[in-house]
Amino acid sequence: MKKSIVKTAVAVSAVSLFLSACGGNANPNPTTNSGTNTSKNNNTSTSTPVTTQDETPFKLSLMLPTYNPEQMPESSSVLKLLEEKTNTDLSVTWVPSTTYADKLSATVASGELPQALVALTPKASYIVNAVRSGMFWEIGPYLQDYPNLSRMSDIVLNNISIDGKVYGIYRERDLARFGLMMRQDWLDNLQLEEPTNLDELYNVLKEFTYSDPDKNGKDDTIGLAVGMQGSVIAGFKDILVYHGGPNEWEVQDGQLIPAHMTDAYMDTMLFYKKLYDENIINQDFAVVQDGRAVINKGTAGVWIDNMVDGKGIQDNIQKITAEAKITLVNRIAGPAGDRTRAGNGYLGMFMIPKTSVKTEEELKRILTYLDRVSEEDIQNLMKYGVEGSHYTVDGGNYSANEDAKVLAELNDSNQFMVLQDKVVSYGTELEKLAVDKFNDNVEIAIPNPAAGFISETEIEKGTEISKIIADATVKFIMGSIDEEQWDKEVEKWLQSGGSKIMEEFNAEYAKLAQ
Amino acid sequence: MRIKASLGSKVFDGINMGLLILFALVTIIPFIYVIAGSFATQKELLTKGFILFPTEFSLDAYRYIFSTGTLMRSLGVTIYITVVGTLINIFMTCLMAYPLARRDMDFRKPVMLMIIFTMLFSGGMIPTFLVVKQLGMIDTYWSLLVPGAISAFNLIIIKNFFQQLPESLEESAKIDGCNDLMIFIKIVLPLSMPAIATFSLFYAVGHWNTFFNAILYINDNNKWPIQVLLRQIVILASGGIGDSTAMESEYVTPPEQAVKMAVIVMSTLPILLVYPFLQKHFAKGVLLGSVKG
Amino acid sequence: MANMQNTLARKNSVSSAGKESTLLKRLVKNRWLYFMLLPGLLYFIIFKYWPMYGVLIAFKDFQPFLGFLESPFVGLKHFNRLFFESNFMTLFMNTLILALYNIIFFFPLPIIISLMLNELRVEFLKRSIQTLIYIPHFMSWVVVVGIAYIFLTTEGGLVNELIDSLGGEKINFLLSNDWFRPLVTFEVIWKETGWGTIIFLAALAGVDPQLYEAAKIDGANRMRQIWHITLPAIKSTIVILLILRLGSFLDTGFEQIFLMLNAMNRDVGEVFDTYVYSVGISQGQYSFSTAVGLFKSIIGLILVLLSNYLAKKFGEEGIY
């Protein structure tokens, strides 16, 4: 028996040596050699010396986060088309979103970086420090030379700037996507109108809880589904804004103050407390990790978050109640009228390291690629794929190809995108409604005035001490602390670094005002 | 002379069995829930929450998982690194444990101290990454097989097992003319099968669960083992908890709850099937007959 | 008897250098042992000691881009932050108490269960129970905490529904300071006890069944048999495991606690590992997390040295 074990071990070792010799060569630019030197590129940039009319495709290595269990295959026709249109030979290193920060840090430490990488959290300390040490190209001055890149929003560019300079190409996301997803069928059953202000909202929620909106004779419904997102209550920030509160920070008498120190914050907490005490929200909200599970059960009437979730929720509830319908409400007027919260407007940005991109020429070539990606045809390619293969449009009705293998070619395709403003809006009625609401939101969106500022204390301690406030908010709503104790918690936040953060932000703000 | 089991002994057996069965039930019930859930419809899982048997049977979750080649491919990768990895582990660990178990080896204590030190203090993720990189192992399977070759914890316990073997066995082998290596192979190893089986299992499970190292060291997603795939699904299906970038996360349709459960079944089952095969090595009285007087 | 004489003789030859064999002679005599030691030694040097400089990151402000040498040296700054700026005493007490709960309530259980399993006469039952009870070990904490939620929530959780139907008042298990520690410990017991029995069962496999026969003849009942035969057989394994456990005394396991934490139980739940996560990793601040890790390791080292010393005093073989 021993002999056979030894023999097996030798054999397996031999095989493994062989295998690793074959598959082991870390070739950063594998297979995809689209030797097709294409002429389809319409090079619209005029003043840049580097054109895309090169004979050989430009080799470009990217690091992108993946949000799917399965990654886009190298044979994906979408990928190949992208390479063709931009005249590049792309090699992508996919990194699961959940471990992105660690992988990025390790890659940065190793010094072997791709030519362009996505920095998901551009204000993270290691990115900021790397920028200050001169690791990345300052891209700001080059943007004007490109037709699409020059269209990028100044607000968002300001948001991503570090020390006043732009070091990356942000990846656009809708500026304001938050709103309420509401059971239309329940509104109909109770003959209620969509609420337009806070009082009406409270009323609707109450009716949803007590007036048996699903008409099943049982007292088993609640008005608002609530869950946690990290340590923050889902939907809270939106209700805060509806109450006239700020988006994270607010300018009062020329000074920046944080949201939790405003009157509107207390009003919002009292609002939630009322809902909690009257059983209008699920009593265990503080341990619910994903509030969507609550509304998906079919026993809750409203969910407040990114309205793009609406379709998914409707699909889920329809599995239980076929007549369920979700409608979207984005305007709830409060003491300051109609307001909504603006998000950052971006999700991560492409940054170009100097260690792997050594010449300005190469930099410009990469910018050309990113600019080309923002053209209308590629925007839609990455969003939907190729008409006829990945989807069909039949008289205005969009339907995606059901074949899993075909769909897999589009996995994480939106990670390549820069601008998204030319994307055609297909999709179901609900999805189209969502897009309308997003656009409507832009009119009433209020930004975070402190978004572009960097405070050292905030980077170092921000997350840590924000827990003090987040926890106190939950406790107040659940009734385990009162107003006096709340004030003490705010005091604690100030003592633990909060006041320093305020100081530093205000210093930056003062500089701007000059 | 056959001793009849006393009444007390029988009562003891009864209580013992009862308690153990109870314990087994408590541990197994949630897993039954997971198995049942993997065959259930989204509707049932949402409305009922906890079930032990699905009333509406559905294979959708499994279909979803198997619909792409990724699961099978990553399963292949995992099996490969588990088998080869465990062989390397056992070889390296036992080989080093034996000299340390011998009381007549001079540098025992300092070497042990050196090993214990590494158990408590470690250079950390980035320095280790840099070493692996400098050895040219990045993006190869070696990075998953070699850096974890010996676990100090396992080494110490295996050494302890070796130490419990009677020295007279080694004595007589020496008299017969065996050198230390032969003693190790011909006597110590066969008599330590329970320990070796145990630690093969431990190491194998460790390889099976390889997740973080794979992401760190392997850039080519075609080479990822199964836990990368599975964790993505579970975390996505749980609403993205554990995602440190969840502040403004990408919107993805969460897979159905049943998929989450099917994934767990798929990732657990293979390794569960291994244990019963190892159980025969836990037979009693392995030493019987080897010590003669 | 002969055994002991042999051992004594050997010990003498080792300790009396210069009398029988010099160091060089012994090295040659044991050359095979040293050859066998070599690969492992190389492994530890390359993969454990070569990166060991990383420990010093705790005394620097490590920037991945600058690398280890160029990153600024900051001395005890991170330790200051840990001891004085964080809620150090709370973190320490929380971690300590959880560790104690773990050692007192969890550690003995795999031993007890493996003893019980050892006593099972029905082979089939024994094997099946063995295979079943370690299944929870394979479930990730995400799933386990999810199941805990299903059982314990006040909104339709099974346990609370049961309490309610029996006329009692629902208990908010998940959102309470009081229940946090028992819950966490119970979850660990549920998940890891079965797995923990494997080592002991391996040790028990080496026990000579004839010893039991002899004991029965002498009139020993089951409990006494266990006490005098079974337990001593696994005694040294228990001691080793206990010492090793103390080495990681302040490690509570990040994932489980992190998933169980919420606003209502953070006061008793926040431990070093979760604190480091919220401050460190997500912001990429490796230095601080290394400093905290260093602190935990030093405590662990002290405990290992102490317990090893005590073990030897009681006549056991320590780990070195």
Side-chain angles (χ1 to χ4, degrees), chain B residues 3 9 12-13 16-17 19-21 23-24 26-28 30-31 33-34 49-50 92 95-96 98-100 102-109 111-123 125-128 130-131 134-135 137 146-150 153 155-157 159-161 163-164 166-168 170-171 179-181 184 194 198-199 201-202 205 231 234 238 241-242 244 264 268 271-272 275-276 279-280 282-288, chain C residues 3 6-7 10 14 23 26-27 29-30 32-34 36-37 39-41 43-44 46-55 57 62 64 113 116-122 125 127 129-140 142-143 147 150-151 158 190 193-195 198-199 201-210 213 216-217 222-223 226 233 236-237 240-241 244 247 255 258-259 277 282 286 294 297-298 300-301 304 317-320:
Chain B
I3 313 254
S9 185
F12 181 90
D13 272 331
N16 194 35
M17 215 171 359
L19 286 175
L20 280 175
I21 292 180
F23 183 64
V26 169
T27 53
I28 200 68
F31 192 61
Y33 158 67
V34 169
F50 184 81
M92 294 283 286
L95 197 66
M96 192 180 191
Y98 179 63
L100 293 172
R102 286 278 295 267
R103 289 171 189 79
D104 56 335
M105 206 197 72
D106 280 294
F107 298 104
R108 235 171 130 214
K109 200 160 172 187
V111 173
M112 280 313 295
L113 279 171
M114 182 198 95
I115 293 174
I116 294 169
F117 191 77
T118 69
M119 241 175 51
L120 299 169
F121 297 92
S122 148
M125 178 187 96
I126 289 188
T128 311
L130 293 175
V131 167
Q134 277 172 298
L135 291 172
M137 291 187 189
V146 177
I150 304 182
F153 183 89
L155 179 71
I156 293 175
I157 303 182
K159 158 187 162 287
N160 180 258
F161 273 112
Q163 271 174 279
Q164 291 177 45
E167 284 189 23
S168 53
E170 296 165 12
E171 293 298 316
N179 63 31
D180 291 315
L181 186 62
F184 173 63
T198 303
F199 288 97
L201 184 63
F202 286 176
V205 169
R231 277 198 156 232
V234 171
S238 308
I241 37 167
S244 56
I264 295 168
T268 318
I271 207 76
L272 278 184
Y275 185 62
Q279 274 186 332
K280 65 174 189 279
F282 288 71
K284 280 202 183 151
V286 176
L287 275 177
L288 250 191
Chain C
N3 226 357
N6 275 336
T7 328
R10 193 173 272 169
V14 168
L23 181 61
R26 283 201 307 275
L27 280 177
K29 181 169 90 108
N30 287 333
W32 281 107
L33 292 180
Y34 292 107
M36 290 165 71
L37 201 57
L41 220 50
Y43 164 78
F44 275 98
I46 297 178
F47 290 100
K48 303 287 175 189
Y49 279 96
W50 186 2
M52 193 61 92
Y53 67 86
V55 165
I57 289 179
F62 180 69
I113 299 283
M116 288 168 76
L117 277 171
N118 194 48
E119 293 297 315
L120 266 187
R121 302 294 176 223
V122 186
L125 203 58
R127 285 211 185 175
I129 293 185
Q130 264 180 45
T131 314
L132 292 177
I133 60 175
Y134 72 70
I135 287 180
H137 171 83
F138 293 95
M139 303 178 76
S140 74
V142 172
V143 174
I147 293 178
I150 291 179
F151 273 83
L158 292 170
W190 177 81
T193 300
W195 185 253
I198 296 182
I199 278 197
L201 288 172
L204 287 171
V207 176
D208 187 348
Q210 286 182 347
E213 297 293 325
K216 269 192 229 156
I217 295 173
R222 297 291 283 274
M223 294 300 285
I226 295 178
S236 68
T237 308
I240 298 266
L241 283 175
L244 288 173
E255 206 175 353
F258 179 71
L259 291 167
Y277 175 80
S282 54
Y286 291 100
L294 194 56
S297 296
I298 293 178
L301 181 65
V304 165
E317 292 247 13
I319 55 176
Y320 66 85

Side-chain angles (χ1 to χ4, degrees), chain A residues 143-163:
Chain A
L143 295 178
Q144 57 191 344
D145 299 334
Y146 296 87
N148 291 305
L149 297 182
S150 54
R151 284 191 293 116
M152 294 205 297
S153 143
D154 285 329
I155 299 181
V156 183
L157 282 175
N158 180 48
N159 283 350
I160 65 170
S161 65
I162 295 175
D163 296 333

Side-chain angles (χ1 to χ4, degrees), chain C residues 144-279:
Chain C
V144 176
V145 173
I147 293 178
Y149 171 78
I150 291 179
F151 273 83
L152 298 172
T153 179
T154 46
E155 307 285 294
L158 292 170
V159 173
N160 270 318
E161 292 300 303
L162 190 62
I163 295 178
D164 194 40
S165 64
L166 291 175
E169 204 182 297
K170 290 192 183 178
I171 306 179
N172 210 341
F173 295 102
L174 301 169
L175 286 163
S176 114
N177 267 348
D178 302 319
W179 282 97
F180 181 80
R181 291 181 182 130
L183 265 181
V184 164
T185 312
F186 180 75
E187 281 170 2
V188 173
I189 290 175
W190 177 81
K191 190 172 186 281
E192 301 294 342
T193 300
W195 185 253
T197 61
I198 296 182
I199 278 197
F200 296 111
L201 288 172
L204 287 171
V207 176
D208 187 348
Q210 286 182 347
L211 291 170
Y212 291 107
E213 297 293 325
K216 269 192 229 156
I217 295 173
D218 283 347
N221 67 15
R222 297 291 283 274
M223 294 300 285
R224 296 205 67 188
Q225 286 172 42
I226 295 178
W227 186 259
H228 286 286
I229 302 172
T230 325
L231 262 183
I234 54 174
K235 188 166 56 145
S236 68
T237 308
I238 296 179
V239 169
I240 298 266
L241 283 175
L242 188 55
I243 298 178
L244 288 173
R245 177 69 188 86
L246 288 174
S248 56
F249 189 60
L250 292 179
D251 286 337
T252 48
F254 161 74
E255 206 175 353
Q256 177 199 14
I257 312 274
F258 179 71
L259 291 167
M260 293 286 292
L261 273 184
N262 54 59
M264 303 301 283
N265 59 27
R266 213 182 293 276
D267 296 330
V268 296
E270 189 94 73
V271 293
F272 287 123
D273 290 332
T274 53
Y275 178 69
V276 163
Y277 175 80
S278 69
V279 179

Side-chain angles (χ1 to χ4, degrees), chain A residues 393-425:
Chain A
V393 180
D394 189 5
N397 286 328
Y398 162 89
S399 54
N401 190 331
E402 304 256 305
D403 185 342
K405 274 213 163 57
V406 172
L407 279 183
E409 293 188 341
L410 275 173
N411 277 347
D412 296 311
S413 59
N414 62 347
Q415 298 304 313
F416 290 92
M417 296 169 77
V418 175
L419 292 177
Q420 295 200 17
D421 52 349
K422 299 267 175 71
V423 170
V424 174
S425 154

Side-chain angles (χ1 to χ4, degrees), chain C residues 46-167:
Chain C
I46 297 178
F47 290 100
K48 303 287 175 189
Y49 279 96
W50 186 2
M52 193 61 92
Y53 67 86
V55 165
L56 299 175
I57 289 179
F59 301 99
K60 293 194 157 211
D61 245 347
F62 180 69
Q63 310 294 347
F65 172 59
L66 295 175
F68 178 73
L69 288 173
E70 298 294 323
S71 293
F73 179 77
V74 294
L76 293 176
K77 167 175 153 194
H78 299 296
F79 292 95
N80 272 332
R81 182 167 172 197
L82 171 65
F83 292 128
F84 301 116
E85 288 178 42
S86 72
N87 247 335
F88 181 73
M89 272 327 279
T90 313
L91 290 177
F92 186 71
M93 286 312 290
N94 286 346
T95 311
L96 182 68
I97 295 179
L98 272 178
L100 286 173
Y101 268 57
N102 186 286
I103 292 208
I104 296 174
F105 297 109
F106 168 68
F107 188 81
L109 282 181
I111 302 172
I112 298 174
I113 299 283
S114 57
L115 288 174
M116 288 168 76
L117 277 171
N118 194 48
E119 293 297 315
L120 266 187
R121 302 294 176 223
V122 186
E123 192 64 25
F124 162 74
L125 203 58
K126 179 173 172 189
R127 285 211 185 175
S128 8
I129 293 185
Q130 264 180 45
T131 314
L132 292 177
I133 60 175
Y134 72 70
I135 287 180
H137 171 83
F138 293 95
M139 303 178 76
S140 74
W141 279 115
V142 172
V143 174
V144 176
V145 173
I147 293 178
Y149 171 78
I150 291 179
F151 273 83
L152 298 172
T153 179
T154 46
E155 307 285 294
L158 292 170
V159 173
N160 270 318
E161 292 300 303
L162 190 62
I163 295 178
D164 194 40
S165 64
L166 291 175

Side-chain angles (χ1 to χ4, degrees), chain A residues 102 105 108-109 125-126 129 133 135 283-284 286-289 459-461 463-464 467 471 474-475 480, chain C residues 63-65 81 85 149 153-155 174-175 259 262-264 266-267 275 278-279 281 283-286:
Chain A
D102 282 323
S105 311
V108 167
S125 63
Y126 65 99
N129 284 317
S133 321
M135 182 168 130
Q283 303 294 100
D284 63 353
V287 289
V288 171
Q289 305 277 11
I459 291 183
E460 206 185 306
K461 291 198 178 167
T463 329
E464 185 190 337
K467 280 220 195 97
D471 286 350
V474 172
K475 286 185 179 159
S480 71
Chain C
Q63 310 294 347
F65 172 59
R81 182 167 172 197
E85 288 178 42
Y149 171 78
T153 179
T154 46
E155 307 285 294
L174 301 169
L175 286 163
L259 291 167
N262 54 59
M264 303 301 283
R266 213 182 293 276
D267 296 330
Y275 178 69
S278 69
V279 179
I281 315 285
Q283 296 292 320
Q285 293 175 313
Y286 291 100

Side-chain angles (χ1 to χ4, degrees), chain A residues 306-325:
Chain A
N306 188 330
M307 289 189 285
V308 82
D309 275 334
K311 171 140 195 325
I313 293 177
Q314 182 172 276
D315 288 343
N316 270 314
I317 305 181
Q318 281 178 345
K319 294 200 173 108
I320 304 175
T321 316
E323 326 83 48
K325 260 195 82 185

